[in-house]
Amino acid sequence: MDCKATVKLSGSSRQGKTRTQAKASEHDIDEGNKYLSCGVLNEEIGGLHIKFGNSCEKDDFIVDNLQNWWNIITPTEQQNIKLISIKVDNGSENSGIYTQFLNRLVTVSDRVGISIQLLCYPLFHSKYNPIERYWGILEQHWHGILLTDVETLLGWASRMTCVVTLTEKTYKRGISLTQKAIRGIEKRVERHLQLPKEDIFIHPI
């Protein structure tokens, strides 16, 4: 699971090549909306679920996409899942010490009734996350295309044979938890003795 860099919707050139007679602006004259994308990749079957949103906050956006992925898979697929193992970059918004992110994962684990294992890559090793290959493919896929509106953005992303959704939800900035709430979350997580920040289990109640 990972977020891609934001994409700004505009008619400016993206330094790509296309076979169509597309005329792009040399400079960003207007400030278009910026969209963030979060992907959930099922490594076993290669299924990819991408969610786009125009809110800059990532923690709740990431977990909402995880819940959204769970909601759209079939009941049979849900029953066959015994553990949700999540590989993420060790960023500030989704690390093993960021309380709001862990708080949301605890809620998801309780809601779906399945344990979640959070695996955080070491710093500067995000390139080993399998989903990074898909982000590279997506960038090559729409390279040279003028992403002028959200319909074009979603249309080109959906051509990668993946599930694409959009949310217009605005997430709050700087959500902080009380020390009591943090202690409650820590009671719910099981940290690896040698890698307490990188390998975490969350069990449902």
Side-chain angles (χ1 to χ4, degrees), residues 189-201:
V189 303
E190 177 186 343
R191 296 181 181 273
H192 192 280
L193 293 179
Q194 281 73 42
L195 300 170
K197 299 178 182 179
E198 291 81 19
D199 190 351
I200 302 171
F201 272 94

Side-chain angles (χ1 to χ4, degrees), residues 160-174:
M160 291 181 57
T161 316
C162 60
V163 178
V164 177
T165 59
L166 173 69
T167 179
E168 298 292 346
K169 181 178 179 180
T170 301
Y171 294 93
K172 295 181 179 180
R173 290 176 175 269

